Amino acid sequence: CTTYYVEIEAEDTVGNISVDDNSGSYYSFMTLGQSIFVDENMNSNPGWTTQGQWAWGAPTGAGGAAHGNPDPDSGYTGSNVYGYNLNGDYTSNLSETYLTTGSFDCTDASTVTISFWRWLNVESPTYDEAAIEVSSNGSSWTQIWVNSGQITEDSWSYQEYDLTTELAGEGTCYVRWVMGPTDGSYQFSGWNIDDVIVEGETVCSGPTSTPIPTNTPLPTSTPVTGENCSNPIVIGSIPYTHDYQTVGFLNDYDEVCDYTGSTSPDVVY
């Protein structure tokens, strides 16, 4: 998180330059911070809540003999994963069965995303389902993904989902992976997940600020406006540049003077 201080400079088509530094205070803006709420590479057991045959450990490359492909024999990184039946296929007539993260706090988040690596084999949703759901209270759940067809993966695939609508600003957040329901016929090797990250942008509470720049004043000079006919600056030609500013353009004057001779200005700029 960093605070930046800026001034605004504008130049018109004839070269007039105007600088706005908010009366010396400068305008400021702060970048958002990037926070990680969940970061599990599965090298150690995260201790998430499991049901049925959901388990943490090393997959064995089993299952998939009749339908789809077998499980991997290691994680995407490291040896371990969370998977449904690390030793084979999911069962027939399975009701919804969950792997649920521990709670995490997204109170200060303005955006939330989840990413992970997946190795999944499941029949089409007419018969078997695999899904992902999220909750901001642990009791009511929103489905953010479900298989739209049969999936038969034989390698790891990267997955990412936007959870901003469901979880940004919420203090007690959960994600769960769902295996089931399944019907009574074909079985596949099911879910394997690794390297789960939930992250998002957050408002900074104690930023490291960029120091306010020192405003070096211009040299002391005669004012470029406010002259009068009794004390004029005589301008030889137009446009006229005076002490770092361009003045003396058409209709840009302080006072019209009475004509008293060729050495007296008719207009004071």
Side-chain angles (χ1 to χ4, degrees):
C1 298
T2 306
T3 302
Y4 292 92
Y5 295 89
V6 298
E7 64 180 16
I8 311 300
E9 181 178 296
E11 181 176 358
D12 65 18
T13 57
V14 293
N16 289 306
I17 297 175
S18 176
V19 177
D20 181 0
D21 63 1
N22 195 23
S23 301
S25 298
Y26 296 90
Y27 297 96
S28 64
F29 67 93
M30 182 184 295
T31 59
L32 293 174
Q34 190 74 13
S35 296
I36 296 179
F37 311 115
V38 176
D39 186 0
E40 297 293 351
N41 60 16
M42 305 304 170
N43 289 346
S44 59
N45 190 344
W48 293 348
T49 302
T50 59
Q51 295 180 338
Q53 290 182 288
W54 276 106
W56 171 87
T60 60
H67 305 288
N69 293 301
D71 287 332
D73 55 12
S74 68
Y76 176 72
T77 58
S79 301
N80 300 312
V81 303
Y82 259 117
Y84 195 86
N85 189 3
L86 299 176
N87 297 304
D89 296 332
Y90 56 75
T91 59
S92 297
N93 301 312
L94 178 70
S95 59
E96 289 190 359
T97 309
Y98 308 113
L99 166 69
T100 307
T101 68
S103 66
F104 52 94
D105 187 354
C106 296
T107 301
D108 297 327
S110 57
T111 65
V112 182
T113 60
I114 184 172
S115 63
F116 62 95
W117 288 86
R118 180 190 82 183
W119 186 308
L120 174 62
N121 282 263
V122 63
E123 196 177 5
S124 67
T126 303
Y127 311 105
D128 300 341
E129 288 189 2
I132 304 171
E133 299 176 345
V134 298
S135 174
S136 59
N137 55 25
S139 57
S140 58
W141 295 85
T142 300
Q143 186 181 86
I144 62 164
W145 179 85
V146 65
N147 58 309
S148 58
Q150 179 171 292
I151 298 173
T152 54
E153 293 181 330
D154 60 2
S155 62
W156 290 98
S157 65
Y158 178 77
Q159 307 295 313
E160 183 174 309
Y161 301 97
D162 185 357
L163 310 182
T164 300
T165 300
E166 294 80 12
L167 300 186
E170 301 294 340
T172 308
C173 303
Y174 300 87
V175 178
R176 70 184 184 186
W177 288 261
V178 188
M179 190 73 257
T182 66
D183 70 355
S185 55
Y186 297 168
Q187 298 87 45
F188 289 66
S189 58
W191 277 109
N192 298 271
I193 63 171
D194 198 4
D195 296 336
V196 179
I197 296 176
V198 181
E199 60 187 331
E201 292 181 331
T202 55
V203 177
C204 303
S205 58
T208 301
S209 299
T210 301
I212 299 175
T214 302
N215 188 18
T216 303
L218 294 174
T220 303
S221 61
T222 304
V224 297
T225 59
E227 295 83 15
N228 54 49
C229 292
S230 64
N231 184 31
I233 294 176
V234 178
I235 297 172
S237 63
I238 295 177
Y240 171 65
T241 302
H242 179 77
D243 285 346
Y244 309 100
Q245 297 189 45
T246 300
V247 297
F249 283 93
L250 185 64
N251 298 325
D252 175 23
Y253 54 83
D254 299 329
E255 185 178 357
V256 178
C257 307
D258 295 331
Y259 178 73
T260 57
S262 62
T263 59
S264 176
D266 300 314
V267 176
V268 174
Y269 291 96

